[in-house]
Amino acid sequence: QVQLVESGEDSVQTGGSLRLSCAVSGDTANIYFMAWFRQAPGQEREGVAAVYTGGAATRYADAVKGRFTISQDNAENMLYLEMNSLKPEDTATYYCAADARNFGSLPLSRKFYKYWGQGTQVTVSS
């Protein structure tokens, strides 16, 4: 089992920056990739960014490319999401996710992730 705990909840103005953190514990050695998802009220949960735990390859949703950066500190078992140039449409609950299976690519669909955190709220005001 893997446990994920997000932190970094905050409210910022348009154009601001924020960093989310995800503490990973449990059977971390078998995690193959991790990701950040977000879900706004009344909307589907969408993938934002993903990363292989054993390498540098990353993948981003078009809506956040150039503004968000996913990174990890494997020594500290931490996953981060650096968010810049925030927009009101980035307002959502952000979730950390992980999985131990190798699908051959970095997925941004929630169906590929077994482990989930409880979420942390990001609010961007205009």
Side-chain angles (χ1 to χ4, degrees):
Q1 290 294 320
V2 173
Q3 294 78 45
L4 306 172
V5 179
E6 303 95 335
S7 61
E9 176 174 327
D10 205 348
S11 297
V12 298
Q13 292 188 329
T14 297
S17 298
L18 192 61
R19 188 176 84 157
L20 303 182
S21 301
C22 175
V24 187
S25 61
D27 192 12
T28 60
N30 290 327
I31 295 174
Y32 196 74
F33 51 85
M34 299 192 67
W36 287 97
F37 284 74
R38 66 185 182 186
Q39 187 168 18
Q43 296 188 24
E44 295 288 321
R45 190 171 299 187
E46 62 175 357
V48 173
V51 63
Y52 284 115
T53 56
T58 57
R59 181 183 177 187
Y60 295 91
D62 289 343
V64 305
K65 279 181 182 176
R67 300 190 298 123
F68 289 13
T69 302
I70 188 171
S71 64
Q72 56 190 335
D73 184 337
N74 290 333
E76 297 295 329
N77 289 327
M78 296 292 294
L79 182 73
Y80 302 102
L81 184 67
E82 188 75 36
M83 303 183 292
N84 298 310
S85 302
L86 283 163
K87 307 174 182 179
E89 50 264 44
D90 294 319
T91 295
T93 300
Y94 282 71
Y95 298 89
C96 176
D99 202 279
R101 296 166 289 179
N102 182 0
F103 297 108
S105 63
L106 273 173
L108 286 178
S109 172
R110 63 181 298 181
K111 67 180 181 180
F112 292 103
Y113 291 84
K114 178 178 180 181
Y115 304 106
W116 292 87
Q118 82 290 348
T120 190
Q121 179 67 34
V122 172
T123 303
V124 185
S125 59
S126 57

